[in-house]
């Protein structure tokens, strides 16, 4: 039998979540964001919105978006390795899309590593479409990023069959 989703809540990221978030960053990315980067996003960027997935008081995943003139740019998504494959990333993306829709966002975009086929498959399942590449986007290894877009006003939710 496959893995089932844990009892996860999705809520706005708070400063008290940063220790868990920074650990997830280090486990997930070759060049993790710093504490100061997250502080700047949470305290100074009025276009940034961040959500966390939690089990109890522990943050197990997060997603961020910048909302600018009807478009949402997903800045980052990560799930703690112990909780991957349980649908947490899907729930985070759907939750940030809902937040964006409530703020009259019409379309979403993101970049994903060309080699990250697992993430690309999830984004395709959720209605994102490849639109080109940013050459050498990732500074750690000069890897290209696939640019993906999704129209929110006429897209499906990614749920169902």
């Amino acid at each position: 039998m496959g893995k089932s989703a844990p009892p996860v809540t999705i809520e706005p990221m708070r400063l008290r979540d940063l220790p868990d978030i920074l650990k997830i960053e280090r486990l997930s990315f070759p060049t993790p964001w710093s504490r100061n980067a997250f502080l700047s996003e949470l305290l100074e960027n009025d276009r940034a919105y961040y959500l966390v997935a939690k089990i109890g008081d522990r943050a197990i995943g997060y997603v961020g978006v910048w909302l600018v003139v009807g478009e949402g740019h997903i800045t980052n998504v990560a799930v703690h390795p112990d909780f991957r494959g349980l649908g947490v990333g899907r729930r985070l993306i759907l939750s940030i899309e809902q937040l964006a829709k409530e703020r009259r966002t019409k379309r979403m975009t993101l970049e994903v590593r060309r080699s990250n086929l697992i993430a690309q498959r999830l984004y395709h399942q959720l209605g994102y479409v490849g639109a080109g590449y940013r050459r050498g986007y990732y500074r750690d290894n000069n890897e290209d990023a696939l640019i993906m877009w999704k129209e929110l006003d006429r897209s499906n939710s990614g749920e169902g069959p």
Side-chain angles (χ1 to χ4, degrees):
M1 189 139 131
K3 297 178 182 179
S4 61
V8 174
T9 59
I10 307 290
E11 59 190 61
M13 186 184 290
R14 305 277 187 239
L15 293 177
R16 67 179 172 262
D17 298 319
L18 284 183
D20 289 338
I21 298 306
L22 292 170
K23 183 174 185 179
I24 296 165
E25 269 289 297
R26 287 190 302 272
L27 292 169
S28 300
F29 301 112
T31 309
W33 279 23
S34 68
R35 177 177 170 76
N36 285 339
F38 280 103
L39 286 173
S40 176
E41 288 291 279
L42 293 173
L43 301 175
E44 299 170 14
N45 186 347
D46 63 356
R47 299 185 191 285
Y49 298 85
Y50 286 79
L51 299 176
V52 293
K54 294 178 105 172
I55 295 177
D57 289 333
R58 179 183 179 193
I60 61 162
Y62 62 94
V63 62
V65 68
W66 295 337
L67 301 182
V68 181
V69 193
E71 293 183 353
H73 183 150
I74 294 177
T75 57
N76 47 14
V77 182
V79 175
H80 190 287
D82 292 347
F83 298 93
R84 292 180 186 159
L86 301 175
V88 175
R90 173 182 295 270
R91 286 189 55 199
L92 283 164
I93 297 285
L94 292 173
S95 295
I96 207 77
E97 286 177 1
Q98 184 58 42
L99 180 149
K101 286 179 190 179
E102 290 167 3
R103 286 160 180 80
R104 296 190 171 96
T105 302
K106 299 294 183 204
R107 47 192 262 162
M108 301 285 285
T109 188
L110 57 83
E111 292 94 4
V112 59
R113 285 181 186 267
R114 182 173 256 194
S115 64
N116 191 345
L117 301 180
I118 292 171
Q120 288 178 39
R121 184 169 50 245
L122 171 62
Y123 301 141
H124 280 295
Q125 289 170 356
L126 293 174
Y128 288 80
V129 176
Y133 291 94
R134 295 193 198 283
R135 305 277 177 222
Y137 182 78
Y138 293 98
R139 293 184 188 154
D140 60 318
N141 66 356
N142 212 35
E143 185 174 357
D144 296 346
L146 172 62
I147 305 163
M148 302 185 83
W149 285 91
K150 178 179 180 177
E151 300 294 327
L152 293 180
D153 53 353
R154 61 178 191 259
S155 62
N156 68 35
S157 67
E159 296 178 316

